[in-house]
Amino acid sequence: MKFSQEQKNEIRTLFCKMNSKSDFLSLLNKAKMFEYGDKVIDFEERQLNYYINKDSIFKTDANSTIKYIDNPYYNSFSIKKKSGKDRVIYSPIEGLKNFQKALNIILQCVFDPHEASTGFVIGKSIVDNAKVHVGQTYVYNIDLKDFFSSIDKSRVWGRLLVPPFNLNTTPERRKIANMIAGLSCTSIEVERFINGDWKKISTSVLPQGSPVSPVISNAICERLDRQLTGVSKRFGLNYSRYADDITFSSKHNLYQKGDGSIERIFAVNSTFDLEVRRIISKENFHIQEDKIRLQKEGYRQEVTGLLVNNKINVARTYIKQLRQWIYYLETYGYDKSYSLFLDKYLKEKYLLSSQMPNMLMVIKGKLLYLKMVKGDNNETYLKLKNRFDSILISHSPINLILNIWENEGIEKAMEIYYRKS
């Protein structure tokens, strides 16, 4: 969601002035109004109390270890990663989600992410992340392990005490920091590196799937981004971060040390490698060792799913699949096409049991992604979009025209209507 500068300034001013729970509740309602309009129903204090105290249901033993029980405030499900492993998503129940969405608006207005951070930032996308690394000889990727769940509740609270949030100025403002951490975090089972080994424990962390987790994670990573930017400048590299995906790139891979010796930058135990690892470890993150990649010129170079060898592009397989699905619809009609589509789709995606994919919506989403990457004037995108529009016209012309009118304007809608009528 985009905010006007006037709205952003108003939120910032109110955030700076708030000094009580009622002030915080008033600010949440202001943010809710910005999203839904004047007729929205305000949050009540009893609702706020309920959600900020939600972790009280989790009991601790004599060693202060949280005993894990089913979490009634989140619906969890798994989706497959490219590696084949499961990624657990925690979707908050409706009431909690509404509070988190309002809180997300507030924190986005107060906090401006580091320039190297491109994930979950208004006005930025994976395209902006990939642009930094186009046409480089070396592209070096690092993934952080269990990114969101690496961030404990105490760490969220501590980050809120310092600039730009500054919730450490009075005892009441420190209580507000605790309320924000309570709304944002929840107890789940996570892995922690203890005494040289990975062990499962239950503790309150930032869950992946919450509307407010992205902006808080970027605030937590501000110092990480600042330090890794400094390292990149020292070695003459480019740097960007998209959530847990860290990328460096350069035209060179050699570095002259202080003693005059030359070493490879992107090598195990190099000066660069040791410094990056030190910073990441100090910021309480861990590297996913099996996801480290050095991609050289002349081979496929990929950053957050996009090719960056000579220009930003999607993989050929992406276009091939999109063409295939549109061809199915043109040739076989919807029923047989859907059967062919579903067989392939279910092998790659996790679906909730009550859910079945809408083939037309999936194709539309892929076209929008292609438009974002290649631009709305790209020939490949336009040809595929026009073919898909023709298919939609044959299925539901009125719905299509209304959809185009809403998203692209009346002139485009009339153009499609007269072209197909």
Side-chain angles (χ1 to χ4, degrees):
M1 178 180 178
K2 292 185 177 180
F3 320 103
S4 68
Q5 191 59 48
E6 182 180 357
Q7 289 175 322
K8 193 171 183 177
N9 291 341
E10 184 178 1
I11 290 288
R12 281 182 169 177
T13 300
L14 292 172
F15 190 91
C16 289
K17 290 181 177 180
M18 69 176 180
N19 199 41
S20 65
K21 181 188 289 185
S22 61
D23 289 343
F24 179 45
L25 182 62
S26 177
L27 183 54
L28 285 166
N29 283 320
K30 175 68 71 173
K32 190 178 184 183
M33 184 191 72
F34 283 167
E35 182 171 10
Y36 295 109
D38 294 335
K39 295 182 179 180
V40 70
I41 299 175
D42 283 351
F43 295 124
E44 297 178 10
E45 185 172 338
R46 62 178 180 82
Q47 295 172 307
L48 177 60
N49 291 336
Y50 177 72
Y51 288 118
I52 61 178
N53 293 314
K54 66 185 187 320
D55 280 357
S56 62
I57 68 168
F58 299 100
K59 307 298 183 182
T60 59
D61 59 21
N63 297 317
S64 296
T65 301
I66 296 176
K67 295 180 179 178
Y68 184 75
I69 63 174
D70 288 338
N71 192 325
Y73 302 101
Y74 288 83
N75 299 308
S76 62
F77 58 93
S78 299
I79 59 174
K80 289 292 182 184
K81 301 179 184 179
K82 287 185 178 180
S83 64
K85 296 180 181 179
D86 288 338
R87 184 193 305 276
V88 182
I89 305 298
Y90 295 87
S91 177
I93 60 174
E94 193 64 27
L96 177 57
K97 182 185 291 185
N98 289 335
F99 271 99
Q100 290 176 343
K101 288 169 75 173
L103 181 57
N104 177 53
I105 291 174
I106 294 168
L107 298 183
Q108 282 191 343
C109 289
V110 175
F111 173 72
D112 293 320
H114 189 278
E115 61 182 11
S117 175
T118 58
F120 321 117
V121 178
I122 295 174
K124 289 187 178 181
S125 69
I126 59 171
V127 174
D128 297 282
N129 187 64
K131 278 180 182 177
V132 179
H133 309 287
V134 171
Q136 299 298 308
T137 307
Y138 300 93
V139 176
Y140 186 67
N141 302 104
I142 297 173
D143 277 16
L144 300 180
K145 174 180 169 60
D146 301 334
F147 178 61
F148 289 103
S149 60
S150 293
I151 302 172
D152 294 325
K153 180 180 178 181
S154 60
R155 195 172 169 194
V156 173
W157 180 79
R159 180 64 183 90
L160 293 167
L161 302 184
V162 296
F165 308 105
N166 296 313
L167 292 177
N168 196 32
T169 53
T170 69
E172 290 302 314
R173 284 176 66 80
R174 283 193 290 274
K175 290 179 183 178
I176 295 173
N178 198 47
M179 294 176 203
I180 293 175
L183 285 173
S184 305
C185 299
T186 196
S187 178
I188 60 176
E189 193 172 64
V190 298
E191 285 191 319
R192 289 291 183 266
F193 198 66
I194 302 172
N195 297 327
D197 195 15
W198 287 101
K199 297 181 180 180
K200 289 186 176 181
I201 66 169
S202 293
T203 188
S204 189
V205 298
L206 209 57
Q208 181 164 1
S210 160
V212 77
S213 290
V215 64
I216 291 179
S217 69
N218 278 338
I220 292 289
C221 287
E222 184 180 33
R223 187 167 56 191
L224 174 74
D225 289 329
R226 188 168 61 246
Q227 293 183 39
L228 291 182
T229 296
V231 171
S232 69
K233 290 180 179 178
R234 175 184 167 191
F235 288 90
L237 314 176
N238 307 303
Y239 163 71
S240 70
R241 181 184 61 82
Y242 193 97
D244 59 349
D245 197 320
I246 289 172
T247 307
F248 296 93
S249 65
S250 69
K251 293 287 188 181
H252 61 282
N253 189 22
L254 296 176
Y255 170 71
Q256 185 173 0
K257 299 171 67 175
D259 60 5
S261 62
I262 303 295
E263 67 175 8
R264 293 189 180 278
I265 297 172
F266 304 115
V268 177
N269 293 326
S270 68
T271 306
F272 167 78
D273 180 58
L274 294 174
E275 182 65 6
V276 167
R277 288 176 178 276
R278 183 191 67 79
I279 291 170
I280 290 174
S281 177
K282 186 179 178 182
E283 293 302 313
N284 294 311
F285 291 109
H286 292 270
I287 295 173
Q288 188 79 34
E289 297 292 344
D290 60 349
K291 298 293 287 292
I292 297 175
R293 293 178 299 157
L294 177 60
Q295 304 170 93
K296 300 179 182 179
E297 186 179 36
Y299 297 89
R300 176 189 174 113
Q301 294 175 317
E302 188 174 306
V303 176
T304 47
L306 295 176
L307 302 181
V308 295
N309 291 73
N310 300 306
K311 62 180 180 179
I312 296 176
N313 207 347
V314 296
R316 291 181 181 179
T317 53
Y318 188 93
I319 301 292
K320 182 179 179 181
Q321 186 179 69
L322 196 48
R323 281 200 180 107
Q324 185 180 54
W325 288 348
I326 291 175
Y327 171 77
Y328 284 163
L329 289 168
E330 292 171 330
T331 307
Y332 304 121
Y334 186 80
D335 289 342
K336 184 176 179 180
S337 298
Y338 186 72
S339 177
L340 294 169
F341 156 82
L342 194 61
D343 182 59
K344 174 74 173 176
Y345 194 85
L346 290 180
K347 290 178 181 177
E348 299 177 350
K349 305 288 184 181
Y350 173 89
L351 297 173
L352 296 175
S353 57
S354 61
Q355 216 176 18
M356 288 302 282
N358 182 315
M359 182 180 183
L360 299 180
M361 293 303 295
V362 170
I363 293 175
K364 181 179 178 181
K366 282 184 167 289
L367 283 169
L368 288 173
Y369 181 83
L370 187 63
K371 175 184 176 182
M372 178 185 71
V373 175
K374 287 180 167 290
D376 54 5
N377 292 320
N378 176 262
E379 184 178 356
T380 300
Y381 161 71
L382 289 174
K383 284 182 178 179
L384 291 171
K385 182 179 182 301
N386 287 336
R387 287 171 61 186
F388 185 59
D389 284 347
S390 297
I391 293 166
L392 287 183
I393 283 284
S394 66
H395 279 80
S396 182
I398 297 300
N399 287 342
L400 174 65
I401 295 301
L402 291 175
N403 183 60
I404 293 175
W405 189 336
E406 179 180 351
N407 293 289
E408 302 182 44
I410 187 172
E411 292 184 1
K412 182 64 176 179
M414 296 309 293
E415 175 191 333
I416 296 292
Y417 176 77
Y418 287 120
R419 172 150 50 95
K420 300 300 178 182
S421 60

